Amino acid sequence: MSSWLMELGNGLVSTFILENRWKWFASGLGYTLLISFFSVLLGLVIGVLMALGRLSKSKILRGISGIYIDIIRGTPTMVQLLIIYFIIFANVNIEKWIVGIIAFGINSGAYIAEIVRGGILSVNIGQTEAGRSLGLTQRQTMTHIIMPQAMKNILPALGNEFVVLIKETAVIGMIANIDLVGAARKVQSLTYDYLIPLLSIAVIYYVVIKIISLLLSKLEKTMRKADKR
């Protein structure tokens, strides 16, 4: 038992302490959260536009939105990332983390589009009719009446999408070792120890996602209390 604890201690020292390797994990966590956060923001913009397209009376807009959602949801995230980096941005000098934001944002947009669409459809159609009867245009009704109510159903799902995205960003290692997985790979290349670095990033992912999940749960409870009032 003591020898196992000694090996574990030595493994933690070589993983985090030597040469300040903990900074690699701190930097990796920073990039992971940065990419995830801005990807969700980009995905939200794309998702809202695609959701409105899906709900549009225009067959062209419905068709474009439907094709986008179908293709993005039907292909692996890793393949999309590789296509964007090695083909679309092949001859462009651009930071790899920005490529990650674009790729994950486009991917997330397809899922957020369905979340937003579901949130809009969850609002009683009587709300739309009430807005139009007051003389509001379709855009004004959507902006001032439908969307504020739909956001209550959309926000928790968006939080879950953010959690999923944090885990999905691990595939950015296919183009750059800048995230948590990249930090683990750097340590593994020096120590030839795969167990401690992998367990370490698993714990880091778990703790971060647990904290975010608790915050989202608290937000959801707050919104429910507001509804009861």
Side-chain angles (χ1 to χ4, degrees), residues 5-225:
L5 289 175
M6 187 175 294
E7 289 180 7
L8 177 62
N10 292 333
L12 290 173
V13 169
S14 61
T15 299
F16 291 101
I17 307 302
L18 289 180
E19 300 176 352
N20 290 323
R21 292 171 186 169
W22 62 270
K23 291 182 179 180
W24 297 346
F25 292 91
S27 176
L29 177 59
Y31 273 112
T32 295
L33 295 177
L34 176 73
I35 294 170
S36 301
F37 178 74
F38 284 103
S39 295
V40 166
L41 290 183
L42 176 60
L44 181 60
V45 173
I46 296 173
V48 169
L49 293 176
M50 291 299 106
L52 294 177
R54 288 268 285 169
L55 297 171
S56 173
K57 295 179 181 179
S58 170
K59 290 184 179 180
I60 295 176
L61 291 178
R62 289 202 307 270
I64 293 173
S65 302
I67 291 171
Y68 162 77
I69 292 171
D70 186 55
I71 291 176
I72 296 300
R73 295 181 68 181
T75 54
T77 306
M78 183 179 69
V79 174
Q80 296 166 17
L81 175 66
L82 295 177
I83 289 174
I84 290 174
Y85 181 70
F86 289 108
I87 298 177
I88 297 177
F89 289 108
N91 298 316
V92 179
N93 185 18
I94 185 173
E95 293 287 344
K96 295 177 181 178
W97 62 272
I98 296 178
V99 175
I101 290 175
I102 295 171
F104 294 121
I106 292 174
N107 178 269
S108 182
Y111 295 92
I112 291 178
E114 292 299 284
I115 292 172
V116 173
R117 186 173 72 91
I120 293 173
L121 293 176
S122 68
V123 179
N124 193 296
I125 193 171
Q127 300 291 322
T128 302
E129 295 172 350
R132 299 307 298 273
S133 67
L134 291 173
L136 299 177
T137 64
Q138 184 175 357
R139 180 179 295 179
Q140 289 172 330
T141 302
M142 179 64 70
T143 303
H144 299 293
I145 296 178
I146 305 302
M147 287 304 295
Q149 297 181 63
M151 285 303 294
K152 292 183 179 180
N153 297 324
I154 292 171
L155 281 176
L158 281 179
N160 291 331
E161 175 64 17
F162 180 57
V163 169
V164 171
L165 202 54
I166 290 175
K167 293 181 286 187
E168 284 190 348
T169 54
V171 301
I172 200 172
M174 297 299 297
I175 65 172
N177 289 328
I178 59 175
D179 66 330
L180 282 171
V181 176
R185 285 178 175 175
K186 290 178 184 177
V187 173
Q188 289 167 355
S189 66
L190 296 172
T191 64
Y192 300 101
D193 178 13
Y194 287 83
L195 179 62
I196 301 299
L198 290 178
L199 286 179
S200 298
I201 62 172
V203 170
I204 294 171
Y205 272 118
Y206 176 79
V207 171
V208 170
I209 290 173
K210 189 67 176 178
I211 292 172
I212 294 174
S213 298
L214 290 173
L215 292 175
L216 291 173
S217 178
K218 189 174 181 179
L219 174 63
E220 195 169 348
K221 288 180 181 178
T222 302
M223 294 174 66
R224 286 178 182 174
K225 287 180 181 178

